[in-house]
Amino acid sequence: MGRDTVREQAATPLSATIGRMVDVLVPQVRALSPKAVEFVVGTQINAAPHLGTHLAQTCAFLLAEQARAVFGLPTEVRFHLLDNAVHESLRDDLSGSAYQRSCFHALGPAGVAARFDSYYRPLFDVLADKTGVGYAVDTYSELQAHRDFRCQFLHTLARIRDLAWWLAPSTGVAPVRVPCPACGWAQTDHGDVRLVDRADDFALFRGACHAHGPFDARVEAGAGPYIGLDNLHRNLVKERVLAHERGMLRVMVKGSDWATACPLLDRAHAVLATAPIRMPTRIFTPLALFDTGAQFSKSLIREAGGTDRFPGIAPWMLSVEHWHGTREEHALVLHDLALALLADVDRFDRAYTATELARLIGSMPTSHTGAW
């Protein structure tokens, strides 16, 4: 790795507690005696992924490989493809309401699958071969249609007055987006979609479409319309589903930008009396930063007008579409980088500027030069 950048910062509280990242799983493995461990990682698909996104996914495979070796348990990576990401938006001049259409509603299942095949499958296939860890893929649209997800969603509605301030502290409103059944556009302003009736086994929402007018949508455990949820509400429901399944230890692999939001999520779990020992463990991966300290962000790159507005940063770091070598070389660069970061808890438990990431990649003995 060249000069040792790790000791340029003080040891973190995490490194004072554990010797390797997979050690954070030891208490649950001992308490639950799972038959297998699944590492869950997800991302929105509204644009080409940047280095930070792919680094988190790569870390999930390497963590799964290490957990298999340490605990002697089968491991797998499960990728949640968040096709609920916004594809397009508008504001209706007549009503003043804001609307959005998700990638799922705009692209359809075939279009969503094509994005996975283009952006993620080449990386995942190489990592699966390199680590011997298999992977499975779920879309958010598939997850929200499952009975378990809908049961947990309906359960949150029974406590929504208590939950809402944890899920949306600025407004106290945790919006539910129910798309128009005719065109898939959904209102996004807080309070536009109203919960007009509910019981343990159903919820009735009332919304409106800018093109097709008012509509009612009845959500049941086993049926009903598409449910769109904000990040914290979606993660609360998803983690509740995983907490109620037995025999499999789930590990949520997230970028470190989630670290400040998760305490709110934990308080929401407390409102629902989720058993702490059964909550999925979360591991936060290193962030990729611009030299200003701003986090790599697909929306920031898009709003700036593309990757060419960031001089001095290799374009492939901001969009996988700019990689100049083979996709296998790209995957191997990420594999070697993640392996180096996981070699030391202090090295893993931090963020990196693009300049430092470029230096680390360039200094790796096995660096693959297709990036440059």
PDB file of all heavy atoms in Angstrom, residues 304-328:
ATOM      1  N   ALA A 304     -24.568  18.654 -11.536  1.00  0.00           N
ATOM      2  CA  ALA A 304     -23.409  19.418 -11.999  1.00  0.00           C
ATOM      3  C   ALA A 304     -23.236  19.328 -13.509  1.00  0.00           C
ATOM      4  O   ALA A 304     -22.421  20.058 -14.086  1.00  0.00           O
ATOM      5  CB  ALA A 304     -22.147  18.927 -11.300  1.00  0.00           C
ATOM      6  N   GLY A 305     -23.993  18.437 -14.145  1.00  0.00           N
ATOM      7  CA  GLY A 305     -23.913  18.328 -15.600  1.00  0.00           C
ATOM      8  C   GLY A 305     -23.019  17.218 -16.101  1.00  0.00           C
ATOM      9  O   GLY A 305     -22.704  17.163 -17.297  1.00  0.00           O
ATOM     10  N   GLY A 306     -22.598  16.311 -15.226  1.00  0.00           N
ATOM     11  CA  GLY A 306     -21.811  15.164 -15.667  1.00  0.00           C
ATOM     12  C   GLY A 306     -20.434  15.125 -15.043  1.00  0.00           C
ATOM     13  O   GLY A 306     -20.010  16.032 -14.320  1.00  0.00           O
ATOM     14  N   THR A 307     -19.715  14.069 -15.348  1.00  0.00           N
ATOM     15  CA  THR A 307     -18.423  13.823 -14.710  1.00  0.00           C
ATOM     16  C   THR A 307     -17.340  14.782 -15.170  1.00  0.00           C
ATOM     17  O   THR A 307     -16.345  14.982 -14.467  1.00  0.00           O
ATOM     18  CB  THR A 307     -17.958  12.380 -14.990  1.00  0.00           C
ATOM     19  OG1 THR A 307     -17.848  12.194 -16.407  1.00  0.00           O
ATOM     20  CG2 THR A 307     -18.954  11.380 -14.442  1.00  0.00           C
ATOM     21  N   ASP A 308     -17.498  15.419 -16.340  1.00  0.00           N
ATOM     22  CA  ASP A 308     -16.454  16.318 -16.831  1.00  0.00           C
ATOM     23  C   ASP A 308     -16.390  17.624 -16.055  1.00  0.00           C
ATOM     24  O   ASP A 308     -15.481  18.433 -16.255  1.00  0.00           O
ATOM     25  CB  ASP A 308     -16.659  16.608 -18.316  1.00  0.00           C
ATOM     26  CG  ASP A 308     -18.021  17.221 -18.627  1.00  0.00           C
ATOM     27  OD1 ASP A 308     -18.904  17.178 -17.745  1.00  0.00           O
ATOM     28  OD2 ASP A 308     -18.203  17.717 -19.766  1.00  0.00           O
ATOM     29  N   ARG A 309     -17.348  17.844 -15.138  1.00  0.00           N
ATOM     30  CA  ARG A 309     -17.342  19.052 -14.317  1.00  0.00           C
ATOM     31  C   ARG A 309     -16.505  18.876 -13.058  1.00  0.00           C
ATOM     32  O   ARG A 309     -16.493  19.766 -12.207  1.00  0.00           O
ATOM     33  CB  ARG A 309     -18.780  19.424 -13.938  1.00  0.00           C
ATOM     34  CG  ARG A 309     -19.695  19.677 -15.116  1.00  0.00           C
ATOM     35  CD  ARG A 309     -19.250  20.891 -15.907  1.00  0.00           C
ATOM     36  NE  ARG A 309     -19.330  22.107 -15.116  1.00  0.00           N
ATOM     37  CZ  ARG A 309     -20.429  22.842 -15.010  1.00  0.00           C
ATOM     38  NH1 ARG A 309     -21.524  22.489 -15.643  1.00  0.00           N
ATOM     39  NH2 ARG A 309     -20.435  23.939 -14.284  1.00  0.00           N
ATOM     40  N   PHE A 310     -15.809  17.752 -12.952  1.00  0.00           N
ATOM     41  CA  PHE A 310     -14.995  17.478 -11.766  1.00  0.00           C
ATOM     42  C   PHE A 310     -13.558  17.203 -12.201  1.00  0.00           C
ATOM     43  O   PHE A 310     -13.105  16.058 -12.222  1.00  0.00           O
ATOM     44  CB  PHE A 310     -15.564  16.288 -10.995  1.00  0.00           C
ATOM     45  CG  PHE A 310     -16.965  16.498 -10.503  1.00  0.00           C
ATOM     46  CD1 PHE A 310     -18.044  16.105 -11.274  1.00  0.00           C
ATOM     47  CD2 PHE A 310     -17.206  17.120  -9.293  1.00  0.00           C
ATOM     48  CE1 PHE A 310     -19.346  16.302 -10.838  1.00  0.00           C
ATOM     49  CE2 PHE A 310     -18.499  17.327  -8.842  1.00  0.00           C
ATOM     50  CZ  PHE A 310     -19.573  16.918  -9.623  1.00  0.00           C
ATOM     51  N   PRO A 311     -12.818  18.252 -12.578  1.00  0.00           N
ATOM     52  CA  PRO A 311     -11.444  18.056 -13.049  1.00  0.00           C
ATOM     53  C   PRO A 311     -10.561  17.465 -11.959  1.00  0.00           C
ATOM     54  O   PRO A 311     -10.736  17.748 -10.773  1.00  0.00           O
ATOM     55  CB  PRO A 311     -11.002  19.477 -13.416  1.00  0.00           C
ATOM     56  CG  PRO A 311     -11.884  20.382 -12.606  1.00  0.00           C
ATOM     57  CD  PRO A 311     -13.200  19.674 -12.515  1.00  0.00           C
ATOM     58  N   GLY A 312      -9.629  16.649 -12.404  1.00  0.00           N
ATOM     59  CA  GLY A 312      -8.685  16.051 -11.466  1.00  0.00           C
ATOM     60  C   GLY A 312      -9.141  14.733 -10.886  1.00  0.00           C
ATOM     61  O   GLY A 312      -8.372  14.072 -10.188  1.00  0.00           O
ATOM     62  N   ILE A 313     -10.394  14.343 -11.147  1.00  0.00           N
ATOM     63  CA  ILE A 313     -10.908  13.066 -10.670  1.00  0.00           C
ATOM     64  C   ILE A 313     -11.106  12.151 -11.867  1.00  0.00           C
ATOM     65  O   ILE A 313     -11.738  12.550 -12.858  1.00  0.00           O
ATOM     66  CB  ILE A 313     -12.244  13.245  -9.916  1.00  0.00           C
ATOM     67  CG1 ILE A 313     -12.044  14.135  -8.691  1.00  0.00           C
ATOM     68  CG2 ILE A 313     -12.807  11.895  -9.496  1.00  0.00           C
ATOM     69  CD1 ILE A 313     -13.317  14.395  -7.910  1.00  0.00           C
ATOM     70  N   ALA A 314     -10.559  10.941 -11.797  1.00  0.00           N
ATOM     71  CA  ALA A 314     -10.725   9.996 -12.891  1.00  0.00           C
ATOM     72  C   ALA A 314     -12.216   9.802 -13.166  1.00  0.00           C
ATOM     73  O   ALA A 314     -12.965   9.470 -12.237  1.00  0.00           O
ATOM     74  CB  ALA A 314     -10.069   8.666 -12.543  1.00  0.00           C
ATOM     75  N   PRO A 315     -12.693  10.015 -14.391  1.00  0.00           N
ATOM     76  CA  PRO A 315     -14.130   9.931 -14.673  1.00  0.00           C
ATOM     77  C   PRO A 315     -14.760   8.608 -14.263  1.00  0.00           C
ATOM     78  O   PRO A 315     -15.922   8.580 -13.860  1.00  0.00           O
ATOM     79  CB  PRO A 315     -14.198  10.149 -16.188  1.00  0.00           C
ATOM     80  CG  PRO A 315     -12.992  10.971 -16.507  1.00  0.00           C
ATOM     81  CD  PRO A 315     -11.928  10.456 -15.567  1.00  0.00           C
ATOM     82  N   TRP A 316     -14.003   7.512 -14.314  1.00  0.00           N
ATOM     83  CA  TRP A 316     -14.588   6.212 -13.968  1.00  0.00           C
ATOM     84  C   TRP A 316     -14.975   6.137 -12.497  1.00  0.00           C
ATOM     85  O   TRP A 316     -15.865   5.365 -12.124  1.00  0.00           O
ATOM     86  CB  TRP A 316     -13.622   5.078 -14.309  1.00  0.00           C
ATOM     87  CG  TRP A 316     -12.453   4.930 -13.373  1.00  0.00           C
ATOM     88  CD1 TRP A 316     -11.231   5.500 -13.488  1.00  0.00           C
ATOM     89  CD2 TRP A 316     -12.414   4.158 -12.163  1.00  0.00           C
ATOM     90  NE1 TRP A 316     -10.421   5.142 -12.438  1.00  0.00           N
ATOM     91  CE2 TRP A 316     -11.122   4.318 -11.612  1.00  0.00           C
ATOM     92  CE3 TRP A 316     -13.343   3.353 -11.503  1.00  0.00           C
ATOM     93  CZ2 TRP A 316     -10.738   3.695 -10.427  1.00  0.00           C
ATOM     94  CZ3 TRP A 316     -12.946   2.739 -10.319  1.00  0.00           C
ATOM     95  CH2 TRP A 316     -11.670   2.904  -9.791  1.00  0.00           C
ATOM     96  N   MET A 317     -14.309   6.956 -11.662  1.00  0.00           N
ATOM     97  CA  MET A 317     -14.674   6.975 -10.241  1.00  0.00           C
ATOM     98  C   MET A 317     -16.084   7.531 -10.034  1.00  0.00           C
ATOM     99  O   MET A 317     -16.763   7.164  -9.073  1.00  0.00           O
ATOM    100  CB  MET A 317     -13.676   7.813  -9.443  1.00  0.00           C
ATOM    101  CG  MET A 317     -12.309   7.188  -9.283  1.00  0.00           C
ATOM    102  SD  MET A 317     -11.279   8.208  -8.196  1.00  0.00           S
ATOM    103  CE  MET A 317      -9.875   7.111  -7.946  1.00  0.00           C
ATOM    104  N   LEU A 318     -16.524   8.409 -10.938  1.00  0.00           N
ATOM    105  CA  LEU A 318     -17.823   9.044 -10.812  1.00  0.00           C
ATOM    106  C   LEU A 318     -18.917   8.317 -11.587  1.00  0.00           C
ATOM    107  O   LEU A 318     -20.101   8.505 -11.316  1.00  0.00           O
ATOM    108  CB  LEU A 318     -17.735  10.501 -11.275  1.00  0.00           C
ATOM    109  CG  LEU A 318     -16.690  11.358 -10.558  1.00  0.00           C
ATOM    110  CD1 LEU A 318     -16.685  12.769 -11.124  1.00  0.00           C
ATOM    111  CD2 LEU A 318     -16.956  11.374  -9.066  1.00  0.00           C
ATOM    112  N   SER A 319     -18.544   7.513 -12.553  1.00  0.00           N
ATOM    113  CA  SER A 319     -19.517   6.744 -13.326  1.00  0.00           C
ATOM    114  C   SER A 319     -18.831   5.543 -13.944  1.00  0.00           C
ATOM    115  O   SER A 319     -17.827   5.689 -14.656  1.00  0.00           O
ATOM    116  CB  SER A 319     -20.134   7.601 -14.432  1.00  0.00           C
ATOM    117  OG  SER A 319     -20.930   6.813 -15.295  1.00  0.00           O
ATOM    118  N   VAL A 320     -19.371   4.371 -13.686  1.00  0.00           N
ATOM    119  CA  VAL A 320     -18.776   3.148 -14.216  1.00  0.00           C
ATOM    120  C   VAL A 320     -18.769   3.151 -15.738  1.00  0.00           C
ATOM    121  O   VAL A 320     -17.972   2.453 -16.375  1.00  0.00           O
ATOM    122  CB  VAL A 320     -19.533   1.910 -13.675  1.00  0.00           C
ATOM    123  CG1 VAL A 320     -20.943   1.851 -14.242  1.00  0.00           C
ATOM    124  CG2 VAL A 320     -18.775   0.620 -13.965  1.00  0.00           C
ATOM    125  N   GLU A 321     -19.629   3.956 -16.348  1.00  0.00           N
ATOM    126  CA  GLU A 321     -19.690   4.009 -17.806  1.00  0.00           C
ATOM    127  C   GLU A 321     -18.411   4.569 -18.423  1.00  0.00           C
ATOM    128  O   GLU A 321     -18.177   4.402 -19.622  1.00  0.00           O
ATOM    129  CB  GLU A 321     -20.892   4.854 -18.241  1.00  0.00           C
ATOM    130  CG  GLU A 321     -22.234   4.217 -17.875  1.00  0.00           C
ATOM    131  CD  GLU A 321     -23.422   5.073 -18.250  1.00  0.00           C
ATOM    132  OE1 GLU A 321     -23.379   6.297 -17.999  1.00  0.00           O
ATOM    133  OE2 GLU A 321     -24.384   4.525 -18.801  1.00  0.00           O
ATOM    134  N   HIS A 322     -17.568   5.226 -17.623  1.00  0.00           N
ATOM    135  CA  HIS A 322     -16.332   5.803 -18.138  1.00  0.00           C
ATOM    136  C   HIS A 322     -15.118   4.900 -17.916  1.00  0.00           C
ATOM    137  O   HIS A 322     -13.988   5.327 -18.179  1.00  0.00           O
ATOM    138  CB  HIS A 322     -16.090   7.166 -17.487  1.00  0.00           C
ATOM    139  CG  HIS A 322     -17.074   8.213 -17.892  1.00  0.00           C
ATOM    140  ND1 HIS A 322     -17.122   8.761 -19.151  1.00  0.00           N
ATOM    141  CD2 HIS A 322     -18.087   8.798 -17.199  1.00  0.00           C
ATOM    142  CE1 HIS A 322     -18.100   9.647 -19.223  1.00  0.00           C
ATOM    143  NE2 HIS A 322     -18.704   9.685 -18.046  1.00  0.00           N
ATOM    144  N   TRP A 323     -15.340   3.695 -17.446  1.00  0.00           N
ATOM    145  CA  TRP A 323     -14.219   2.765 -17.291  1.00  0.00           C
ATOM    146  C   TRP A 323     -13.662   2.412 -18.672  1.00  0.00           C
ATOM    147  O   TRP A 323     -14.409   2.058 -19.583  1.00  0.00           O
ATOM    148  CB  TRP A 323     -14.687   1.507 -16.569  1.00  0.00           C
ATOM    149  CG  TRP A 323     -13.615   0.475 -16.431  1.00  0.00           C
ATOM    150  CD1 TRP A 323     -13.422  -0.619 -17.209  1.00  0.00           C
ATOM    151  CD2 TRP A 323     -12.561   0.464 -15.459  1.00  0.00           C
ATOM    152  NE1 TRP A 323     -12.322  -1.312 -16.789  1.00  0.00           N
ATOM    153  CE2 TRP A 323     -11.769  -0.673 -15.720  1.00  0.00           C
ATOM    154  CE3 TRP A 323     -12.221   1.308 -14.408  1.00  0.00           C
ATOM    155  CZ2 TRP A 323     -10.661  -0.993 -14.949  1.00  0.00           C
ATOM    156  CZ3 TRP A 323     -11.103   0.992 -13.637  1.00  0.00           C
ATOM    157  CH2 TRP A 323     -10.341  -0.149 -13.920  1.00  0.00           C
ATOM    158  N   HIS A 324     -12.334   2.498 -18.822  1.00  0.00           N
ATOM    159  CA  HIS A 324     -11.722   2.319 -20.137  1.00  0.00           C
ATOM    160  C   HIS A 324     -11.234   0.898 -20.399  1.00  0.00           C
ATOM    161  O   HIS A 324     -10.967   0.534 -21.551  1.00  0.00           O
ATOM    162  CB  HIS A 324     -10.541   3.290 -20.305  1.00  0.00           C
ATOM    163  CG  HIS A 324     -10.951   4.725 -20.293  1.00  0.00           C
ATOM    164  ND1 HIS A 324     -11.885   5.241 -21.163  1.00  0.00           N
ATOM    165  CD2 HIS A 324     -10.567   5.760 -19.490  1.00  0.00           C
ATOM    166  CE1 HIS A 324     -12.047   6.532 -20.924  1.00  0.00           C
ATOM    167  NE2 HIS A 324     -11.272   6.870 -19.898  1.00  0.00           N
ATOM    168  N   GLY A 325     -11.090   0.103 -19.351  1.00  0.00           N
ATOM    169  CA  GLY A 325     -10.628  -1.260 -19.542  1.00  0.00           C
ATOM    170  C   GLY A 325     -11.794  -2.224 -19.609  1.00  0.00           C
ATOM    171  O   GLY A 325     -12.939  -1.855 -19.905  1.00  0.00           O
ATOM    172  N   THR A 326     -11.514  -3.491 -19.332  1.00  0.00           N
ATOM    173  CA  THR A 326     -12.574  -4.491 -19.297  1.00  0.00           C
ATOM    174  C   THR A 326     -13.295  -4.396 -17.961  1.00  0.00           C
ATOM    175  O   THR A 326     -12.746  -3.912 -16.969  1.00  0.00           O
ATOM    176  CB  THR A 326     -12.014  -5.903 -19.482  1.00  0.00           C
ATOM    177  OG1 THR A 326     -11.230  -6.250 -18.320  1.00  0.00           O
ATOM    178  CG2 THR A 326     -11.152  -5.999 -20.729  1.00  0.00           C
ATOM    179  N   ARG A 327     -14.525  -4.895 -17.932  1.00  0.00           N
ATOM    180  CA  ARG A 327     -15.269  -4.873 -16.678  1.00  0.00           C
ATOM    181  C   ARG A 327     -14.657  -5.838 -15.662  1.00  0.00           C
ATOM    182  O   ARG A 327     -14.798  -5.645 -14.458  1.00  0.00           O
ATOM    183  CB  ARG A 327     -16.737  -5.202 -16.941  1.00  0.00           C
ATOM    184  CG  ARG A 327     -17.454  -4.157 -17.791  1.00  0.00           C
ATOM    185  CD  ARG A 327     -17.448  -2.779 -17.139  1.00  0.00           C
ATOM    186  NE  ARG A 327     -18.296  -2.731 -15.984  1.00  0.00           N
ATOM    187  CZ  ARG A 327     -19.600  -2.465 -16.014  1.00  0.00           C
ATOM    188  NH1 ARG A 327     -20.201  -2.240 -17.175  1.00  0.00           N
ATOM    189  NH2 ARG A 327     -20.310  -2.428 -14.912  1.00  0.00           N
ATOM    190  N   GLU A 328     -13.958  -6.862 -16.136  1.00  0.00           N
ATOM    191  CA  GLU A 328     -13.267  -7.757 -15.206  1.00  0.00           C
ATOM    192  C   GLU A 328     -12.133  -7.010 -14.514  1.00  0.00           C
ATOM    193  O   GLU A 328     -11.933  -7.153 -13.294  1.00  0.00           O
ATOM    194  CB  GLU A 328     -12.710  -8.975 -15.936  1.00  0.00           C
ATOM    195  CG  GLU A 328     -11.999  -9.946 -14.989  1.00  0.00           C
ATOM    196  CD  GLU A 328     -11.496 -11.207 -15.685  1.00  0.00           C
ATOM    197  OE1 GLU A 328     -11.539 -11.246 -16.922  1.00  0.00           O
ATOM    198  OE2 GLU A 328     -11.051 -12.133 -14.976  1.00  0.00           O
TER     199      GLU A 328
END
